[in-house]
Amino acid sequence: MEETAQLLYYQAIEALLKKDFDTAEVFLERARRKPGFSHEAEIAYTALQVRKEAMKQKEVYKV
Amino acid sequence: MTSRHPEVFERLAEQSEEFLSGWAEKEKEGLKTFKRVWRLKELAYRPIEEFPDLALRFRLFEEWLESDGLELAGSPLTRYQMEEISAALEKLKLFLPRTSDSAETASSSDQLAQLAEKFVARLSGAETRRPAFFSKADHPPAGGEHSGDGSASLGTSRDKPPASSDLSEDFQKLLSYELEYMRQYRRPGEHPLSVIGRLLDALSARYHLADEVFVAHLLYFLQAQNYPVGPYLEKFRKIKERAKAK
């Protein structure tokens, strides 16, 4: 069946429930390229971006 | 600059994770509903070449009705989910005559149609528990939900918003529904005439004031652009007449 933005969003939710943030990001990244990418998905995606950037900066300033 | 401390970023990352975990928890019910609808869609849309065993397909559908279907019938569904379920059921009903014409298959087809009707009746029951004309929206906003018993009706009090509601506000909600539908649920490159076709199918399966207004808007717009909308208009009239007669 067709891979829709909704399917990818819920796959991301499943990953988030397992605390697998990186996989969730991969799903939402793919969902963003599909029609019907929802407002909810955009919020979750933004939060994942914030997390990723924070992790990156943490490593930068650790050095 | 304080933000250069790694612990600040660590805290931010943790807070983001907390937010995301909370978000996922909040979406758990939505995920369950999505999976239930998805399983039905798989049964309905999986090509015969991939899944030729029709008896197994029916048995799985029967099992779906007794498990997922039962759960769905007791849950609040968005108008869009109702539309997806109706379309999948219609597809299942049409499946057999297209693929085989044996007596055995015809009998299974009848059985399947009965099962589908049974399920629609259950869904109607679920809809009676839905609170308002403009109930809480998911995707897209349920601009035209029935307030009443889930049966199709037109021009009766069941289709009207509560007396206290503001008509202008209701109309704006209908317009928002149309806008969101076109933005999110129109397939890429899909012509508005195809959208009308889908909406008419949905209206035939289940009457919604929001869809009626939506079809009327699209038809008027396309007619003004000199598109041949005659057959669609005719079908629309027939569906409306049927709904009025109920």
Side-chain angles (χ1 to χ4, degrees):
Chain A
M1 284 202 5
E2 196 194 345
E3 187 181 66
T4 60
Q6 199 191 21
L7 169 67
L8 290 163
Y9 172 66
Y10 280 115
Q11 283 175 325
I13 293 295
E14 273 190 313
L16 288 177
L17 287 167
K18 293 175 197 154
K19 314 267 183 216
D20 186 350
F21 300 99
D22 295 331
T23 303
E25 196 182 334
V26 171
F27 282 128
L28 287 181
E29 193 69 64
R30 261 164 47 201
R32 287 183 86 218
R33 295 193 287 269
K34 307 270 180 191
F37 186 69
S38 65
H39 183 56
E40 285 82 358
E42 188 71 59
I43 291 170
Y45 180 73
T46 306
L48 281 164
Q49 292 300 300
V50 170
R51 174 190 170 269
K52 189 164 88 176
E53 192 57 30
M55 305 272 270
K56 209 165 82 185
Q57 294 297 325
K58 185 182 81 175
E59 291 309 311
V60 168
Y61 291 110
K62 239 184 195 174
V63 181
Chain B
M1 202 171 129
T2 52
S3 62
R4 293 198 175 188
H5 295 293
E7 60 270 25
V8 173
F9 292 112
E10 195 167 347
R11 210 160 51 237
L12 181 58
E14 281 169 11
Q15 282 170 350
S16 305
E17 289 181 359
E18 272 171 34
F19 170 80
L20 285 159
S21 298
W23 185 274
E25 281 296 323
K26 188 178 73 75
E27 290 289 62
K28 246 181 176 172
E29 280 307 307
L31 174 65
K32 278 186 201 163
T33 302
F34 175 79
K35 282 183 170 176
R36 287 170 182 142
V37 176
W38 185 264
R39 281 193 276 269
L40 173 68
K41 283 164 71 179
E42 274 194 327
L43 285 175
Y45 296 112
R46 208 162 150 201
I48 189 79
E49 301 79 31
E50 274 181 31
F51 189 16
D53 189 342
L54 293 172
L56 178 62
R57 198 184 286 246
F58 299 154
R59 193 164 56 71
L60 289 173
F61 177 53
E62 225 172 330
E63 281 173 20
W64 182 90
L65 277 173
E66 294 307 321
S67 53
D68 291 331
L70 208 61
E71 292 291 334
L72 276 181
S75 344
L77 296 172
T78 63
R79 200 208 60 79
Y80 181 67
Q81 285 165 336
M82 290 288 292
E83 190 184 305
E84 276 189 305
I85 292 168
S86 296
L89 291 174
E90 285 305 309
K91 174 74 182 171
L92 272 169
K93 281 200 271 185
L94 292 172
F95 202 80
L96 280 169
R98 280 181 184 174
T99 53
S100 171
D101 54 7
S102 72
E104 188 191 341
T105 311
S107 153
S108 302
S109 180
D110 289 346
Q111 196 189 355
L112 179 62
Q114 281 170 11
L115 285 171
E117 273 160 29
K118 196 170 129 193
F119 177 65
V120 169
R122 279 184 191 165
L123 279 186
S124 302
E127 267 212 330
T128 59
R129 289 188 284 280
R130 303 174 76 180
F133 178 77
F134 292 120
S135 58
K136 184 180 171 292
D138 277 331
H139 294 287
E145 297 300 345
H146 290 280
S147 61
D149 61 7
S151 63
S153 63
L154 180 69
T156 70
S157 59
R158 283 177 298 184
D159 266 330
K160 290 175 184 168
S164 59
S165 72
D166 182 313
L167 271 179
S168 301
E169 197 184 310
D170 290 344
F171 185 64
Q172 283 177 55
K173 284 179 183 172
L174 282 177
L175 293 178
S176 305
Y177 162 66
E178 291 174 17
L179 187 63
E180 193 166 344
Y181 190 102
M182 292 304 275
R183 277 185 182 156
Q184 296 202 17
Y185 301 103
R186 190 173 71 91
R187 292 163 191 153
E190 193 178 30
H191 193 276
L193 279 174
S194 306
V195 176
I196 292 177
R198 277 206 289 144
L199 287 166
L200 287 174
D201 288 344
L203 270 174
S204 295
R206 191 161 208 82
Y207 206 87
H208 289 281
L209 178 63
D211 285 336
E212 180 194 339
V213 176
F214 194 0
V215 170
H217 277 159
L218 280 171
L219 282 172
Y220 190 86
F221 171 72
L222 290 175
Q223 197 171 37
Q225 308 284 326
N226 295 322
Y227 273 91
V229 296
Y232 291 91
L233 196 55
E234 194 50 43
K235 190 174 175 188
F236 182 45
R237 281 192 185 125
K238 280 181 185 161
I239 293 169
K240 275 178 65 177
E241 276 164 21
R242 271 210 309 273
K244 270 183 185 168
K246 282 184 184 173

